[in-house]
Amino acid sequence: MRKTFPLDIEGRHRDRVVEAAKHDIRKYIQRERRKPLPDGADFWDFDCRFGPDRDTAQPIHFAAITPSIDEAVRSGAAAFHIEILARAAQRSARPEGAGRPQDGDAGTGDDATVGEGTDNDSDNGGPGGPARHG
């Protein structure tokens, strides 16, 4: 998808135009993800570029698409250009020490435990609310 989305369209509210552009982008991504993967690939990766026009578009991370659109809207841009190209990719292993914490590494013990100091576990029937009888 290579497209320049105008944000100032006469007769249409700017917020609705922005939401329509985001919707078009989401539809494209969903459509690309539905395509069957070629052999040796385990997910669809997206190469993305974003900017005020085609000539000045800069590479961005896939997760930065919506924040980039929001920033363009906040800055008062009249339009934005986005390129999203799907490519099949293979996941690589995470480097040692990166990723989610292991069991036992999640905290120091100084934090309050879940449910402590709340009314969820009181004698009114537990977290689901008062006990119902009969």
Side-chain angles (χ1 to χ4, degrees):
M1 165 188 248
R2 290 184 177 118
K3 187 170 182 179
T4 300
F5 289 94
L7 298 176
D8 296 326
I9 300 175
E10 189 173 336
R12 294 185 67 193
H13 194 276
R14 186 176 172 94
D15 292 343
R16 300 299 75 78
V17 174
V18 171
E19 290 304 315
K22 289 180 183 179
H23 179 73
D24 285 350
I25 292 167
R26 288 183 192 115
K27 275 192 339 187
Y28 172 77
I29 292 166
Q30 289 172 351
R31 185 170 51 245
E32 290 298 310
R33 284 185 171 160
R34 279 194 302 266
K35 291 181 180 178
L37 285 165
D39 292 337
D42 32 8
F43 76 106
W44 287 109
D45 196 9
F46 296 93
D47 295 326
C48 307
R49 292 171 45 93
F50 184 87
D53 56 28
R54 184 177 185 151
D55 298 330
T56 59
Q58 298 294 318
I60 62 168
H61 189 270
F62 175 73
I65 292 174
T66 301
S68 297
I69 294 171
D70 293 340
E71 180 59 33
V73 170
R74 273 193 298 275
S75 69
F80 68 87
H81 178 79
I82 189 159
E83 294 180 19
I84 305 173
L85 303 175
R87 65 177 170 86
Q90 190 170 16
R91 295 198 189 279
S92 58
R94 288 188 183 169
E96 282 296 317
R100 298 182 182 152
Q102 300 297 324
D103 292 338
D105 294 342
T108 61
D110 295 337
D111 299 333
T113 59
V114 175
E116 186 176 77
T118 63
D119 293 335
N120 289 343
D121 295 326
S122 63
D123 292 334
N124 64 358
R132 296 182 187 202
H133 299 286

